[in-house]
Amino acid sequence: MIELKGVRKRFQDHEVLRGITFSIEKGEVVCLIGPSGSGKSTVLRCINGLETPDGGSIVVDGEAVTQENVRRVRSKVAMVFQRFNLFPHRTALENVMEGPIHVQKVAAAEARDRALRLLEKVGLRERAGAYPAQLSGGQQQRVGIARALAMHPMAILFDEPTSALDPELVGDVLRVMRELADEGMTMVVVTHEMGFAREVADRVLFMDAGAIVESGAATEVLTNPQVERTRTFLQRVLHPI
């Protein structure tokens, strides 16, 4: 469903991605892990057209990602951001309705019904009329997931969806993501939640300094890494003291 070949990206003198190549099958959950600054978020931003690669190619559902067709790509591949990115002047319900109405030209009544169903799915139907400022971070992130689902995407990209949350709020968001994985949603997740990656991911890709250093089945990479850099990273993350 998603294929990257030799993707490179440079910001001024800093080469952020150095020839990234991997593919994701329909229904697969892939977690990207690695230290901050390794290029994980840039990979997601290139897939959905927020950044333009300097080299290589990205294909989504058989179609090359270009600036000309970026709107079509985003209709197939939704993104959930670290900082929620909700419209502050719109209610939870209106935030979820926004994409279907303005991008897909869905009738308001149908968009409302769809949004209410999705808010119920993420456990927030009773907060449909609340504005983002009236919601906790975890609730805002679940609204963000409902908003992504409202576009009926083929895949969802998650960019560190729990890193801005208080620890006690992380579980609610991960529960929703686990349910999506169980339902067969194709997901690419940048995360520092190693427990989630071990339990939910089909594959884990470990990135460092703009390159994929190690990849494989989640249980293999996380419990028996073959590369010293991966071992060092996991030791520091899992046993910080």
Side-chain angles (χ1 to χ4, degrees), residues 45 52 56 93 234:
R45 293 174 67 84
T52 302
L93 180 65
L234 290 172

Side-chain angles (χ1 to χ4, degrees), residues 172-219:
D172 289 336
V173 174
L174 294 182
R175 175 184 54 76
V176 172
M177 294 172 65
R178 282 189 182 94
E179 290 172 359
L180 292 177
D182 290 342
E183 293 166 5
M185 174 61 72
T186 306
M187 297 160 56
V188 188
V189 185
V190 171
T191 186
H192 292 292
E193 299 287 343
M194 297 302 139
F196 173 84
R198 186 182 296 107
E199 292 173 28
V200 180
D202 297 298
R203 279 189 296 141
V204 165
L205 310 182
F206 173 68
M207 290 185 63
D208 188 38
I212 295 174
V213 175
E214 184 166 359
S215 67
T219 51

Side-chain angles (χ1 to χ4, degrees), residues 108-170:
E110 180 184 342
R112 177 184 171 84
D113 288 344
R114 184 189 299 183
L116 285 171
R117 285 197 306 273
L118 289 169
L119 286 173
E120 182 160 4
K121 180 181 182 67
V122 300
L124 288 173
R125 186 181 176 116
E126 76 284 356
R127 304 306 309 274
Y131 289 90
Q134 299 170 313
L135 300 171
S136 71
Q139 290 171 331
Q140 290 184 62
Q141 192 59 289
R142 283 185 280 154
V143 173
I145 294 173
R147 180 180 58 181
L149 290 169
M151 299 298 288
H152 289 165
M154 301 174 66
I156 303 181
L157 313 175
F158 291 87
D159 188 7
E160 298 194 28
T162 61
S163 63
L165 303 180
D166 292 334
E168 63 183 323
L169 303 176
V170 168

Side-chain angles (χ1 to χ4, degrees), residues 61-82:
D61 190 33
E63 185 173 26
V65 178
T66 65
Q67 286 304 301
E68 290 71 33
N69 68 6
V70 71
R71 287 176 68 89
R72 276 202 307 280
V73 170
R74 288 178 187 161
S75 72
K76 297 178 180 180
V77 181
M79 189 156 175
V80 175
F81 296 89
Q82 178 178 350

